[in-house]
Amino acid sequence: MKKLILGSNSPRRRELLSGLDLEFSVDTGNTFVEGDRSGLSPEEYPLMMSRGKSHGFHRPLEEDEVLITADTVVICGGEILEKPHTREDAIRMLKSLSGREHKVITAVTLRSCSCERSFEDVSIVDFRPLSDDEIAYYIDKYSPYDKAGAYGVQEWIGYVGISSIRGSFYNVMGLPVHRVWEELQNLKAVSPSLR
């Protein structure tokens, strides 16, 4: 068994990784600074971010450690909807998602001192049309300022607004844990037999 390190501040990623019944520590020390992304398509952005976060980790990894980093983006109409900075920004994002289909991509990088693997998972999410009152209620009660696209699939807006998801629900939440489990097994970082 390897020592797993989650390099993320996200409480949702911590919750999801905990759901695999694996022991891990959280270490968010990082020197990565996002560079120019003008040459990247929206679909290429999360992979660049997850790799950058991995290589920006603040110290060399020990022989028995595996670092997990990730980045999730919401793409609607060819635009990346990042975390909203203001209430008005969140309203704009949710209005753009209302009554439309959008794509959620999470890229994950697993890195040890001798190996590195990156992968992506894609989910397609459909929102029914949302009223201005529904959008305002959600933003004011749930303050989704730490969430890409200004929403959390596991919160009220997901219950009332999402009509379908094609792909992994957990990917939309922030970490495709089925893929993480599979890749950790491939790296022999976890035991395939649970005792």
Side-chain angles (χ1 to χ4, degrees):
M1 295 288 288
K2 300 282 190 180
K3 292 178 183 174
L4 303 180
I5 303 168
L6 177 62
S8 174
N9 273 320
S10 166
R12 289 157 306 277
R13 289 199 181 111
R14 288 197 298 271
E15 176 187 346
L16 290 169
L17 194 57
S18 294
L20 293 178
D21 289 344
L22 298 173
E23 290 185 14
F24 63 93
S25 62
V26 176
D27 187 339
T28 58
N30 210 294
T31 61
F32 174 64
V33 178
E34 180 186 351
D36 179 26
R37 68 179 197 205
S38 58
L40 296 174
S41 71
E43 288 78 9
E44 293 171 318
Y45 178 69
L47 193 58
M48 181 272 291
M49 288 293 291
S50 75
R51 286 176 174 158
K53 291 174 184 179
S54 182
H55 288 277
F57 192 61
H58 65 102
R59 62 170 177 81
L61 293 172
E62 301 291 334
E63 190 72 34
D64 61 345
E65 292 178 327
V66 174
L67 175 66
I68 303 169
T69 55
D71 193 73
T72 300
V73 297
V74 171
I75 301 172
C76 186
E79 177 191 1
I80 293 177
L81 302 183
E82 300 190 67
K83 297 173 184 175
H85 299 294
T86 63
R87 185 176 187 274
E88 292 70 30
D89 202 20
I91 289 170
R92 177 189 65 81
M93 289 184 188
L94 288 174
K95 282 188 172 185
S96 74
L97 296 174
S98 175
R100 296 177 69 187
E101 173 184 287
H102 65 275
K103 185 185 299 185
V104 179
I105 302 175
T106 300
V108 179
T109 298
L110 306 176
R111 185 169 63 85
S112 69
C113 62
S114 61
C115 181
E116 179 179 333
R117 292 188 189 193
S118 295
F119 60 89
E120 293 177 309
D121 202 67
V122 179
S123 302
I124 306 298
V125 181
D126 288 294
F127 263 105
R128 69 164 183 79
L130 301 169
S131 70
D132 289 348
D133 286 344
E134 287 170 331
I135 290 172
Y137 172 81
Y138 174 66
I139 291 169
D140 292 340
K141 181 158 186 177
Y142 290 88
S143 301
Y145 301 108
D146 64 336
K147 298 174 178 71
Y151 79 92
V153 66
Q154 73 283 7
E155 295 176 339
W156 181 84
I157 198 77
Y159 295 152
V160 303
I162 292 177
S163 56
S164 73
I165 297 174
R166 297 187 298 285
S168 167
F169 172 90
Y170 300 111
N171 180 56
V172 181
M173 200 170 159
L175 193 67
V177 283
H178 65 292
R179 293 287 310 279
V180 172
W181 175 256
E182 180 182 328
E183 293 297 334
L184 286 172
Q185 285 188 316
N186 289 341
L187 286 173
K188 303 201 179 341
V190 298
S191 171
S193 61
L194 299 176
R195 296 187 181 96

